[in-house]
Amino acid sequence: MQPLPNQIYIISLQTYARNYVIYISTSVILASIRYSKLNVLEFAHCSFARVELFCLPKLEQLICGFWLSECLPLTLGGYVPCLKEVEIYSTISPHQERFKLRELLCGTTCINTLSLDFLGQKIWLQLEKYQLSSAFCNLRELCLYDIFSGFGLLWTTALLEAAPSLEKHEVEVYEHQCDDEEEIKQIYAERTNVTWEVSEFEHLALKELELVGFNATEEHIVFIGAVMERASNLQAVVLKEKYCKDCSSAVSTPSGERRFPKNEDEQEMVVNNLRNRFSSRAQIMFIRDYKLSSN
């Protein structure tokens, strides 16, 4: 087995070199990775200026989190025909920039699952839509996690439009009462959403929309309605309650109000609101977090 470049510090290596976890690097300018048997690769807390992946014919899963450079340094510069799953999770500091997802996924056409976790902070994606069409052509599941509750969600429909084969769209809202807001302001970039234009389009493949941390606010209703009207074959809208695992606090609105419908009457009001305003035959379901809810 050929070792990876000596600038990279390996903290986990499984049998037959099928899984690498790459952790902190101290003074790397450029690292290139070529390994024909690698099928899972994870980067975490890396300070690389640039990492290029070459000749990874069996790579199926790529995970990248908490980069320390100005923008995401990873690029797929070569042959990765089997890449099916990509997961990116991070916050960004004030000196870091938003990045273009297409620059990471350039040349890929087989990805079927994409997970992006913003950890309740600034949205670190740059505006893109049609530029993602090639990378998203076979995307079946899109998961957007921990979007701060003070942000709107309509911008996510731009990613939906770029993925004509998408069957499930999951969005999770973030609001933790136990967060130290003063500490967050010192460490992370200012919480800002993205302002992507919402266009009219028809999506034929989407079957399920799942919104975790649903609150019966106008913003959430408008977002759900926008997806319902564009996804003509939508079968299910799943609205889930969400509690913080650390403090058992429910996800709330920016004003602190908790508005997940707690009984059948309130749920019926939400359903009627959606049915009266938006055209869709999708079933609307509510799932409460009974493990943490005392109501």
Side-chain angles (χ1 to χ4, degrees), residues 273-291:
N273 190 5
L274 288 167
R275 297 287 188 215
N276 291 336
R277 296 172 60 182
F278 309 104
S279 176
S280 176
R281 294 175 293 180
Q283 181 183 5
I284 301 172
M285 296 175 282
F286 299 86
I287 300 178
R288 297 206 66 193
D289 191 342
Y290 289 103
K291 291 181 179 180

Side-chain angles (χ1 to χ4, degrees), residues 30 54 58 61 90 97 111 143 159 175 178 224 234 243:
L30 171 63
F54 290 94
K58 295 186 178 180
Q61 183 180 19
S90 189
E97 301 175 354
I111 298 173
C143 306
L159 299 177
E175 176 63 46
C178 56
I224 295 166
L234 190 67
Y243 277 76

Side-chain angles (χ1 to χ4, degrees), residues 32-46:
S32 299
I33 299 177
R34 304 169 184 260
Y35 202 85
S36 61
K37 295 182 180 180
L38 197 67
N39 62 12
V40 178
L41 182 60
E42 178 175 0
F43 293 83
H45 297 272
C46 292

